[in-house]
């Protein structure tokens, strides 16, 4: 996920902090500082660290459950409204997906119960609506943080855990694809309602959350669709095979010429042996033309270390590599020569075609 900074690694999982999380931290820090000076600000920071810990433990609930089914988690991104654990893959069986989705909120339920024991009863609701107010006890606010994490994450909308629970339950009855459609539809309707409510009440945070839910629902639906579609397909079934490439001796002016003459925007740079040396994207090209001029070699402007996958590799595997690379990747034959390119655009086109076929069949 972009807009995030790496913090460290726990048990093979990278912990990343989304920059919007820092906004929340600043808000709570300032609110504390203005009320009670330095001691309150310090207290605020302790509270933030504990809150951060609750979100992290929630995510590790997912990680531990996924590991039981042999699924690893490359990274976790912490957002103000929770975290996102990026699983290597979604478990195949709906029951497994259900367990993994519920494992996160279950951790917050346990924390809330422990806090309840420590507090000796349910703390005042007032602490729930003013989490930034140090006047309410630390443990009381932490209790409400965990209750909020459970309730919010169980909303039946992608990308929340509740959306996954809903999808898994639906998948047991109507199949994975239809389940995804219904779950993401409900997610977007919920996001719309939430956004409207936020606008009417003048609550910018609510609008922000709604936007996050809306975008998440869309991204999740597309990712799941793509994953289902790619099942049983190979990289060579989805790759672009008609494309122009540039020789290693090419100059920026040659690339500019190709950009105009073709509909292509990314150009593979290939050596004499047919091996992929890098990819020159449109933005790389424009930047190089501006800074170095038309005579600059493409070798210096291109992206190096572009990953490649064998042409017979499972498309699912290729999608994973693409996600990691965050850009187009190459497809090579058994001799290591470039035979195709996979881009987000042509995968998007594949989705559109499949949707049209499904609509006609259904
Ligand atoms: Zn979760």
């Amino acid at each position: 996920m972009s807009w995030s900074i790496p913090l460290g690694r726990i048990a093979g999982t990278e912990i990343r902090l989304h920059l919007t999380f820092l906004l929340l931290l600043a808000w709570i820090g300032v609110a504390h500082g203005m009320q009670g000076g330095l001691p309150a600000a310090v207290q605020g920071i302790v509270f933030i660290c504990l809150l951060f810990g609750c979100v992290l433990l929630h995510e590790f609930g997912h990680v531990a459950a996924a590991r039981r089914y042999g699924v690893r988690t490359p990274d976790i991104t912490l957002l103000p409204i929770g975290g996102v654990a990026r699983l290597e893959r979604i478990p195949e069986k709906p029951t497994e997906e259900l367990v993994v989705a519920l494992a996160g909120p279950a951790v917050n339920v346990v924390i809330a119960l422990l806090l309840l024991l420590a507090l000796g009863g349910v703390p005042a609701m007032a602490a729930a609506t003013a989490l930034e107010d140090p006047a309410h006890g630390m443990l009381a606010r932490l209790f409400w943080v965990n209750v909020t994490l459970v309730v919010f994450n169980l909303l039946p909308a992608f990308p929340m855990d509740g959306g996954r629970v809903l999808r898994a339950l639906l998948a047991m009855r109507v199949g994975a694809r239809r389940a995804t459609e219904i779950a993401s539809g409900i997610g977007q309707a919920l996001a719309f309602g939430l956004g409207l409510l936020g606008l009417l009440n003048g609550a910018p945070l609510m609008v922000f959350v709604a936007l996050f839910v809306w975008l998440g629902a869309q991204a999740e639906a597309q990712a799941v669709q793509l994953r289902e579609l790619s099942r049983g397909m190979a990289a060579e079934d989805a790759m672009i095979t008609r494309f122009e490439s540039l020789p290693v001796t090419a100059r920026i002016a040659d690339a500019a010429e190709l950009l105009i003459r073709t509909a292509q925007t990314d150009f593979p740079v290939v050596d004499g042996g047919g091996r992929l040396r890098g990819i020159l994207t449109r933005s790389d090209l424009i930047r190089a033309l501006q800074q170095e001029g038309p005579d600059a070699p493409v070798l210096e402007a291109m992206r190096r270390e572009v990953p490649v996958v064998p042409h017979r590799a499972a498309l699912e595997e290729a999608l994973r590599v693409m996600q990691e690379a965050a850009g187009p990747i190459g497809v090579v034959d058994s001799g290591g020569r470039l035979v195709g390119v996979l881009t987000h655009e042509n995968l998007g086109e594949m989705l559109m075609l499949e949707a049209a076929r499904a609509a006609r069949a259904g």
Side-chain angles (χ1 to χ4, degrees):
M1 192 173 281
S2 51
W3 286 84
S4 61
I5 45 173
L7 287 186
R9 211 164 245 290
I10 300 176
T13 298
E14 190 177 55
I15 315 295
R16 302 184 69 90
L17 191 70
H18 198 263
L19 289 176
T20 50
F21 201 102
L22 296 177
L23 274 179
L24 177 83
L25 303 197
W27 174 52
I28 292 184
V30 168
H32 276 67
M34 268 166 41
Q35 281 212 357
L38 190 63
V42 170
Q43 231 214 356
I45 290 166
V46 172
F47 175 67
I48 290 159
C49 289
L50 290 171
L51 184 148
F52 181 94
C54 291
V55 173
L56 200 59
L57 284 172
H58 169 112
E59 294 311 319
F60 271 100
H62 293 305
V63 172
R67 186 163 289 187
R68 268 196 54 190
Y69 301 120
V71 177
R72 289 181 308 132
T73 313
D75 58 61
I76 289 174
T77 304
L78 295 166
L79 295 151
I81 52 172
V84 178
R86 193 165 62 89
L87 300 184
E88 194 184 41
R89 61 184 170 81
I90 298 290
E92 296 282 309
K93 292 194 199 113
T95 44
E96 295 179 357
E97 189 183 5
L98 193 67
V99 171
V100 172
L102 286 173
V107 169
N108 297 113
V109 169
V110 171
I111 297 174
L113 287 176
L114 290 176
L115 286 170
L116 215 52
L117 280 178
L119 287 161
V122 179
M125 261 307 260
T129 48
L131 289 178
E132 77 286 4
D133 187 352
H136 304 290
M138 177 99 66
L139 292 185
R141 282 182 289 152
L142 220 49
F143 169 79
W144 289 116
V145 161
N146 280 282
V147 170
T148 310
L149 281 174
V150 172
V151 172
F152 185 75
N153 277 292
L154 286 182
L155 286 179
F158 278 146
M160 258 73 70
D161 298 328
R164 288 169 216 278
V165 169
L166 178 68
R167 191 187 100 86
L169 290 176
L170 285 168
M172 292 172 190
R173 291 168 167 268
V174 296
R177 180 178 309 204
R178 187 82 191 104
T180 303
E181 279 172 13
I182 298 172
S184 69
I186 294 176
Q188 292 198 322
L190 200 112
F192 186 79
L194 208 64
L196 201 64
L197 212 66
L199 281 178
L200 292 177
N201 291 324
L205 199 66
M206 208 185 237
V207 178
F208 168 73
V209 168
L211 196 71
F212 170 79
V213 173
W214 178 275
L215 293 176
Q218 240 175 0
E220 177 81 27
Q222 226 181 36
V224 170
Q225 258 183 323
L226 203 54
R227 213 162 42 224
E228 273 155 24
L229 184 63
S230 63
R231 206 161 282 163
M233 287 176 82
E236 61 185 351
D237 298 326
M239 69 186 186
I240 301 174
T241 53
R242 285 194 199 171
F243 56 89
E244 297 287 339
S245 55
L246 290 161
V248 285
T249 52
R251 317 228 146 238
I252 289 299
D254 305 322
E257 175 79 13
L258 271 187
L259 185 67
I260 296 299
R261 301 283 166 245
T262 68
Q264 223 170 305
T265 55
D266 305 317
F267 300 96
V269 178
V270 176
D271 67 17
R275 276 171 185 75
L276 181 68
R277 296 286 299 275
I279 285 184
L280 185 77
T281 66
R282 182 167 54 191
S283 51
D284 296 335
L285 196 170
I286 301 297
R287 186 165 20 83
L289 190 60
Q290 222 171 47
Q291 291 171 357
E292 322 287 342
D295 290 329
V298 293
L299 273 184
E300 271 160 38
M302 71 183 189
R303 277 169 207 207
R304 288 154 204 281
E305 281 149 34
V306 175
V308 294
V309 293
H311 64 131
R312 294 226 190 274
L315 186 53
E316 260 187 292
E317 171 60 25
L319 288 178
R320 255 197 306 275
V321 174
M322 254 178 104
Q323 202 185 9
E324 212 111 292
I329 62 168
V331 182
V332 295
D333 65 12
S334 48
R337 285 175 296 267
L338 185 75
V339 290
V341 180
L342 276 171
T343 72
H344 286 287
E345 287 78 28
N346 76 303
L347 287 171
E349 285 163 357
M350 223 176 72
L351 265 187
M352 287 193 285
L353 289 176
E354 189 51 35
R357 276 193 203 109
R360 191 171 163 77

